Amino acid sequence: AQSVTQLGSHVSVSEGALVLLRCNYSSSVPPYLFWYVQYPNQGLQLLLKYTTGATLVKGINGFEAEFKKSETSFHLTKPSAHMSDAAEYFCAVSSSGYSSASKIIFGSGTRLSIRP
Amino acid sequence: GAVVSQHPSRVICKSGTSVKIECRSLDFQATTMFWYRQFPKQSLMLMATSNEGSKATYEQGVEKDKFLINHASLTLSTLTVTSAHPEDSSFYICSARGGSAVSGYTFGSGTRLTVV
C-alpha cells in the first residue's frame, strides 16, 4: 500500500523567500511521485512529477523537487516566493507506475501563504 | 497538453433528487478515470476507479448504490449522486489517465455540489 505524509498543514513565507514544502512517502514498489497545486474552487494542476531517471525534477512556475529514496522524501522547493504562489499544494504517490491497477493517493495538503 | 473537462462546475439540488456530473477527456483516450471527493480544507479522497467498459471499483466506505459511476466510452465518465442529502454536499473532482506512461493523470476543474 502507498501513503503520503505532508509535514505542516500551513506554511507561511515572505515574498522572495525560499519555499520548502515537505513530503514523505511510503510505497512497497518504486513510486511515481507528484506535486499538484490547487487554487480555491478549482481542480488540480500538475507542478511536476518523478517517474524514473534524474532525481531532481524541475516543474512549472520555478518549482522543483528531489526524489530521495534513502529518506523516502520528495520535498518541493522554490528559490523565491511570489504572491501568486499562495495556494494549496498536494503531494501524491502513484502505485505501480501507470499500470491499469495504479491510482493516485494524496497527502493531506499544505496551504502556502505569502507575506508581502 | 491533455485536457479534462468537468461539468457542471456548480450545482444546487434539492434533497432527495439525483445529480449527474460529467467528466470528459478532450484530446486523449482515458482508459481509466478516477472520482475524488474533497471536503473544505481537506485532501482529495478517492471514491472509485473506473475502466472503460467495466464496472467501477469503489474504495472502502463508499456506497456504490449512492454514487453511480459509468464509464461508457474512452472519453466520458459520469458520476451520479442518487437521492442526494445535505451531507453529500462537497467538491467532486474527476481525473483521467491515458494508456501511455507519458499521459499521466489529468484533473478536471471540479464540481461544487450543494444539496439543500
Side-chain angles (χ1 to χ4, degrees), chain A residues 2 25-27 29-33 50-52 67 93-97:
Chain A
Q2 283 71 34
Y25 70 90
S26 172
S27 178
V29 298
Y32 284 11
L33 295 161
Y50 168 79
T51 55
T52 58
F67 170 61
V93 62
S94 172
S95 59
S96 305

Side-chain angles (χ1 to χ4, degrees), chain B residues 15-33:
Chain B
S15 186
T17 62
S18 295
V19 175
K20 180 183 287 187
I21 302 170
E22 291 190 349
C23 180
R24 294 180 183 273
S25 57
L26 297 186
D27 50 4
F28 68 101
Q29 292 185 327
T31 54
T32 306
M33 287 189 172

Side-chain angles (χ1 to χ4, degrees), chain A residues 40-79:
Chain A
N41 293 311
Q42 294 187 27
L44 274 68
Q45 180 182 13
L46 179 67
L47 284 175
L48 48 79
K49 64 182 178 184
Y50 168 79
T51 55
T52 58
T55 57
L56 181 61
V57 181
K58 294 185 184 298
I60 62 172
N61 301 340
F63 285 95
E64 63 181 37
E66 186 171 10
F67 170 61
K68 293 187 176 180
K69 184 178 179 180
S70 61
E71 299 177 8
T72 62
S73 69
F74 191 58
H75 301 330
L76 181 72
T77 60
K78 181 174 180 177

Side-chain angles (χ1 to χ4, degrees), chain B:
Chain B
V3 177
V4 171
S5 175
Q6 186 174 343
H7 291 282
S9 58
R10 294 177 180 270
V11 59
I12 300 174
C13 70
K14 291 184 177 181
S15 186
T17 62
S18 295
V19 175
K20 180 183 287 187
I21 302 170
E22 291 190 349
C23 180
R24 294 180 183 273
S25 57
L26 297 186
D27 50 4
F28 68 101
Q29 292 185 327
T31 54
T32 306
M33 287 189 172
F34 307 86
W35 287 94
Y36 293 85
R37 183 173 181 177
Q38 184 180 31
F39 289 105
K41 300 188 185 303
Q42 294 189 25
S43 186
L44 283 76
M45 301 302 298
L46 180 64
M47 298 174 66
T49 302
S50 71
N51 291 295
E52 184 265 339
S54 60
K55 288 184 178 180
T57 301
Y58 290 81
E59 297 297 305
Q60 190 173 6
V62 177
E63 300 176 60
K64 58 183 178 182
D65 293 333
K66 180 168 194 59
F67 298 100
L68 301 180
I69 291 172
N70 183 278
H71 192 166
S73 76
L74 285 172
T75 59
L76 174 64
S77 176
T78 59
L79 167 67
T80 301
V81 182
T82 63
S83 186
H85 292 283
E87 57 265 30
D88 299 324
S89 298
S90 190
F91 194 57
Y92 294 87
I93 303 177
C94 70
S95 174
R97 186 186 69 212
S100 71
V102 174
S103 59
Y105 301 83
T106 304
F107 286 80
S109 55
T111 298
R112 172 72 60 192
L113 170 63
T114 303
V115 184
V116 298

